Amino acid sequence: MKHAFLFAALAFLLGGCSGDWGWYVVDPRTTTGITNLKFLLGGLWYTILLSVTAISISVVVGLLVALPGLSQYRVLRAFNRVYVEVVRSVPILVLILWVYYGLPPVTGITIGIFWSGVIALALSDSAFQAEIFRAGIQSIDKGQYEASHSISLGYADTMRFVILPQAIRRILPALGNQLVYMLKMSSLVSVIGMQELTRRANELVVSEYRPLEIYTVLVLEYLVLILIVSALVRRLENRMKADDQR
Amino acid sequence: MDANQTDAAISVRNISKHFGDFRALNNVSLNVRAGERVVICGPSGSGKSTLIRCINRLEKHESGTIHVDGLVLDDSRRSRDAIRAKVGMVFQQFNLFPHLTVLENLTLGPLRARGKSPEEARELAMRYLTRVRIPEQAEKFPRQLSGGQQQRVAIARSLCMEPQIMLFDEPTSALDPEMINEVLEVMTELARSGMTMVCVTHEMGFAKGVADTMVFMDHGEIVETAPPATFFTTPATERCRDFLRKILRH
């Protein structure tokens, strides 16, 4: 319902315009329009692949960084603090540039555009994931650990079977948030030439010289993509809630 | 090591414990024989819970020694794990795992910590669920049960680890009055079966019926230790008399 209203409003807004608008560049009735639209939409796959790969890595890294943060040992907690503070202080765009241009000369390894993007996005996001996991794990009652200890479960089993399953349910909304954020931030990887949605729009603008129309399509692409993802996340949350009320 | 320490199921010698400036335990000693039922009572903040939580290392004592079944409890993980394997614990707040079914709550320990097969673990779980009289709730989640049922599940979960000693930390204090009896009945039955038990509780009816030894604590110290017959009729100290007057009045 909400979606339908948004589209109606946009159609009205755009349809009522004349003169300066040049919708022919993305008009699906013309062959050029179709070619251009295909070119623009072709970036969708890379945007999704980039974001999903990056967030998969950042969730794992985030958890591995969060766990030392909850340790009784000061050294491990310090590692967590330093990692989180340093990584989240670097802007994502700067990190992308640094990984792409800086990491190869430093390490001697050549990294492609895609993996540079993935590394930069995952690294940047992992600091936030670590904080989310830490908050989620800390929200679990102390009694759950004590009960686990009293039935002789070790640290790994306590985390795996008792604490994390409960913590993950609680942080699911925050994880969904990060996924949406990641999908949007993946547009920054366009600066190093990644052929995702934003890069393709930029390239088409250069050849067609119709920024208004092309960027409007770009806005709509992200809007639709993220509304779908949000709906999926919400559905997952509701399913878990339904599980809890069995 | 004297004879007391090796023969006793639990031997606590001169332990102390502070929480910041608060002295939770002050030079406490307690002996529990195998098969003995000890009930610890005393005003809140007297150190009762801290004492039994030290026995399975949920709290760390600062000085003194604790032996369980002849094993010394020290800083090593091996000693802690060996002792936790012998000691079951039931908590005031049940502490069931809310995301697991009753059956999964019971089988988790046997499966992961005892290396039992799924069939063995299930059989064990059903046996103890029957013993606490709720086998029909096996597939439910804890939140679908009443408080009394949840606490009985928690008792069964501990029993599934086949402990030699059971510690009860105010097991009925979080329950609605009408559910207290069903839990006490299960505990009484357990006592009859010869289990070594240390119970922190204010249920004096249960204590009179089941305890071999009553322990009264106040301000982190054991003030009085006596068999129930003497304890309830002729308490030796004024502090204990005062406490009993207060809780036995109703």
Side-chain angles (χ1 to χ4, degrees):
Chain A
M1 188 58 221
K2 186 178 70 185
H3 304 193
F5 174 76
L6 273 171
F7 288 126
L10 270 165
F12 176 77
L13 194 76
L14 302 176
C17 300
S18 60
D20 289 309
W21 292 84
W23 283 108
Y24 64 87
V25 281
V26 288
D27 188 341
R29 288 166 302 187
T30 65
T31 33
T32 333
I34 285 185
T35 315
N36 286 348
L37 274 176
K38 272 188 179 161
F39 178 72
L40 287 174
L41 285 169
L44 191 63
W45 167 241
Y46 293 106
T47 291
I48 293 172
L49 191 67
L50 188 65
S51 311
V52 171
T53 314
I55 203 159
S56 305
I57 294 171
S58 77
V59 164
V60 176
V61 175
L63 178 61
L64 292 178
V65 173
L67 291 176
L70 299 157
S71 165
Q72 52 177 317
Y73 301 108
R74 195 188 291 174
V75 182
L76 293 177
R77 286 203 307 274
F79 160 77
N80 166 280
R81 263 341 306 150
V82 169
Y83 184 96
V84 169
E85 296 300 343
V86 169
V87 171
R88 78 176 170 190
S89 304
V90 185
I92 298 183
L93 181 57
V94 174
L95 205 55
I96 291 168
L97 293 170
W98 193 85
V99 168
Y100 186 61
Y101 295 107
L103 212 51
V106 170
T107 59
I109 309 163
T110 327
I111 309 165
I113 292 170
F114 178 78
W115 286 106
S116 294
V118 166
I119 289 170
L121 288 177
L123 199 61
S124 166
D125 193 52
S126 65
F128 295 93
Q129 297 287 1
E131 288 294 88
I132 292 170
F133 269 108
R134 190 167 65 94
I137 293 169
Q138 274 175 337
S139 78
I140 304 298
D141 185 65
K142 191 164 70 93
Q144 294 289 307
Y145 292 92
E146 295 184 347
S148 306
H149 296 331
S150 79
I151 58 167
S152 294
L153 294 183
Y155 174 80
D157 280 346
T158 301
M159 279 296 160
R160 179 173 159 204
F161 294 104
V162 178
I163 306 301
L164 285 177
Q166 297 183 65
I168 286 171
R169 271 163 210 244
R170 293 193 191 176
I171 65 177
L172 207 61
L175 292 181
N177 223 10
Q178 286 306 112
L179 177 58
V180 166
Y181 186 71
M182 191 72 103
L183 281 166
K184 295 200 285 185
M185 288 307 125
S186 69
S187 63
L188 293 174
V189 187
S190 63
V191 298
I192 56 171
M194 180 76 200
Q195 287 281 322
E196 43 64 72
L197 290 174
T198 306
R199 175 71 181 201
R200 294 217 165 186
N202 278 338
E203 287 182 358
L204 197 63
V205 166
V206 172
S207 60
E208 293 285 354
Y209 208 64
R210 274 279 163 200
L212 179 56
E213 295 75 11
I214 291 165
Y215 287 138
T216 305
V217 171
L218 182 61
V219 167
L220 290 175
E221 284 175 317
Y222 279 113
L223 184 66
V224 171
L225 175 63
I226 283 162
L227 287 177
I228 291 171
V229 169
S230 300
L232 290 176
V233 171
R234 186 119 325 150
R235 246 174 74 176
L236 187 63
E237 274 174 45
N238 286 338
R239 220 182 61 195
M240 288 219 161
K241 220 180 281 170
D243 271 359
D244 282 348
Q245 281 158 0
R246 267 187 303 197
Chain B
M1 189 186 288
D2 61 46
N4 264 344
Q5 285 179 343
T6 43
D7 293 350
I10 303 170
S11 166
V12 173
R13 282 276 163 276
N14 309 107
I15 66 165
S16 295
K17 168 88 188 165
H18 290 78
F19 294 111
D21 287 336
F22 179 71
R23 196 172 59 185
L25 291 176
N26 182 28
N27 205 27
V28 170
S29 297
L30 176 74
N31 251 317
V32 181
R33 285 173 282 110
E36 186 177 5
R37 273 87 60 175
V38 176
V39 167
I40 305 176
C41 61
S44 60
S46 61
K48 323 172 289 274
S49 291
T50 309
L51 173 58
I52 67 167
R53 287 164 58 84
C54 281
I55 294 171
N56 72 342
R57 202 53 153 198
L58 292 181
E59 304 288 351
K60 192 174 158 184
H61 59 283
E62 287 152 5
S63 58
T65 58
I66 297 177
H67 287 78
V68 177
D69 196 31
L71 291 171
V72 65
L73 178 58
D74 57 26
D75 282 334
S76 73
R77 182 181 289 188
R78 215 177 62 181
S79 136
R80 186 195 69 191
D81 290 350
I83 284 175
R84 281 182 180 163
K86 293 172 186 286
V87 179
M89 182 144 190
V90 174
F91 302 88
Q92 182 177 351
Q93 299 296 341
F94 327 140
N95 294 341
L96 293 175
F97 307 132
H99 61 298
L100 301 178
T101 64
V102 166
L103 192 65
E104 288 165 342
N105 265 276
L106 268 59
T107 53
L108 183 58
L111 282 173
R112 301 301 305 181
R114 290 280 185 277
K116 298 247 193 247
S117 73
E119 297 75 33
E120 285 173 317
R122 195 191 153 83
E123 194 202 327
L124 198 63
M126 288 315 295
R127 185 161 77 219
Y128 284 111
L129 268 187
T130 309
R131 195 158 160 196
V132 301
R133 303 199 278 271
I134 37 174
E136 72 283 359
Q137 311 287 4
E139 300 303 329
K140 291 201 179 159
F141 284 86
R143 70 186 155 275
Q144 297 170 297
L145 306 184
S146 72
Q149 290 173 325
Q150 290 190 44
Q151 191 60 297
R152 285 188 280 155
V153 170
I155 294 172
R157 179 176 65 183
S158 282
L159 292 176
C160 279
M161 302 307 289
E162 306 185 299
Q164 297 169 17
I165 298 163
M166 285 286 284
L167 307 175
F168 291 84
D169 188 3
E170 304 206 29
T172 57
S173 299
L175 294 174
D176 291 333
E178 74 272 20
M179 293 170 184
I180 292 178
N181 273 337
E182 59 188 73
V183 172
L184 292 180
E185 278 165 24
V186 166
M187 289 171 63
T188 306
E189 193 270 324
L190 192 61
R192 302 253 179 280
S193 76
M195 175 69 76
T196 309
M197 292 164 70
V198 181
C199 313
V200 172
T201 182
H202 291 148
E203 293 298 329
M204 290 301 135
F206 166 79
K208 280 176 186 165
V210 164
D212 299 308
T213 306
M214 294 296 302
V215 171
F216 173 70
M217 290 185 73
D218 196 13
H219 292 109
E221 292 171 351
I222 291 182
V223 178
E224 195 160 337
T225 306
T230 10
F231 184 83
F232 287 109
T233 51
T234 51
T237 59
E238 181 52 39
R239 275 196 280 179
C240 188
R241 270 195 292 276
D242 189 44
F243 174 75
L244 286 174
R245 250 198 313 276
K246 278 178 193 150
I247 66 162
L248 290 176
R249 194 157 49 201
H250 44 263

